[in-house]
Amino acid sequence: MKKLIGNVLLTAGLVAGAITAARIPPMWGGLAASLGVMAVGIVLRRQGAKEELHRAAQSGTGGVRELERLIKESLEKLEKIMDAPREKVVEELTEILEELDEFAEKAQPLRIEGLMTYGTIMSVFSRGERALNRAWSAFADGYENEGRRYLRYGYDDLRETLQALKTLKV
């Protein structure tokens, strides 16, 4: 609710500020008041976003345990297709990539731990996801050797992501 009220105040302050600043001569008192309203809106919006992250972490829709489960399942599936035929790899890799799409959203509660923590985990994860997307593309285009190489890179990066998640003290 704070986030919604913050957005409304931010928008109202922006509109009021634009109107008061556009006048000739500018209405300095109105402009100052609208900047104050915008500041309150920003504070409320940030508090609301932080509360949402805490609720998500507590409800289990994110956080370290959920992310570990998602990465472990993906790693298990990747291990099964490392030496599989090309068609099977493309089919399974499509499913794995769809499941990994959830990771970025579910990782949002990690921002509570700090941007460095979030950035570290997301950097390694995104590198692995890109490698898996490249692997899928290479397999789909018939470049099996390149696909297997990027499949290995993606697998290694996801293992590194899992290790980074395990080292978190959450």
Side-chain angles (χ1 to χ4, degrees):
M1 189 62 159
K2 281 185 181 179
K3 193 173 177 183
L4 175 64
I5 293 170
N7 283 336
V8 169
L9 288 175
L10 186 59
T11 304
L14 181 65
V15 170
I19 291 170
T20 58
R23 310 263 320 207
I24 299 179
M27 298 171 60
W28 296 112
L31 181 59
S34 64
L35 289 174
V37 170
M38 288 174 60
V40 170
I42 290 170
V43 169
L44 286 175
R45 189 179 189 301
R46 293 187 87 188
Q47 285 178 349
K50 195 174 234 182
E51 288 173 4
E52 282 180 11
L53 292 175
H54 282 287
R55 276 194 302 273
Q58 290 172 349
S59 69
T61 57
V64 177
R65 286 180 208 83
E66 178 74 16
L67 298 175
E68 282 182 8
R69 182 196 59 76
L70 185 63
I71 294 292
K72 282 179 185 176
E73 288 176 3
S74 297
L75 286 170
E76 289 171 4
K77 290 177 182 179
L78 284 171
E79 288 170 357
K80 292 177 183 175
I81 63 170
M82 284 295 188
D83 297 319
R86 186 176 68 86
E87 296 80 19
K88 174 88 170 151
V89 172
V90 171
E91 180 182 319
E92 290 294 320
L93 200 49
T94 301
E95 291 177 23
I96 292 168
L97 287 168
E98 287 173 359
E99 291 171 7
L100 289 177
D101 275 344
E102 297 176 29
F103 186 90
E105 185 176 323
K106 290 184 179 196
Q108 292 301 314
L110 290 178
R111 291 183 6 214
I112 295 169
E113 303 302 317
L115 284 179
M116 288 301 293
T117 301
Y118 177 75
T120 301
I121 290 180
M122 290 308 293
S123 294
V124 177
F125 169 76
S126 63
R127 188 175 63 216
E129 187 182 29
R130 277 192 308 275
L132 293 176
N133 278 307
R134 287 182 184 144
W136 182 91
S137 182
F139 277 112
D141 292 341
Y143 298 103
E144 192 167 334
N145 290 338
E146 183 180 351
R148 295 213 183 273
R149 184 177 51 213
Y150 278 105
L151 191 63
R152 172 59 56 190
Y153 292 159
Y155 176 81
D156 291 342
D157 288 335
L158 288 185
R159 285 189 58 191
E160 190 177 336
T161 303
L162 183 61
Q163 291 298 48
L165 285 170
K166 286 181 178 181
T167 60
L168 285 179
K169 295 175 182 164
V170 181

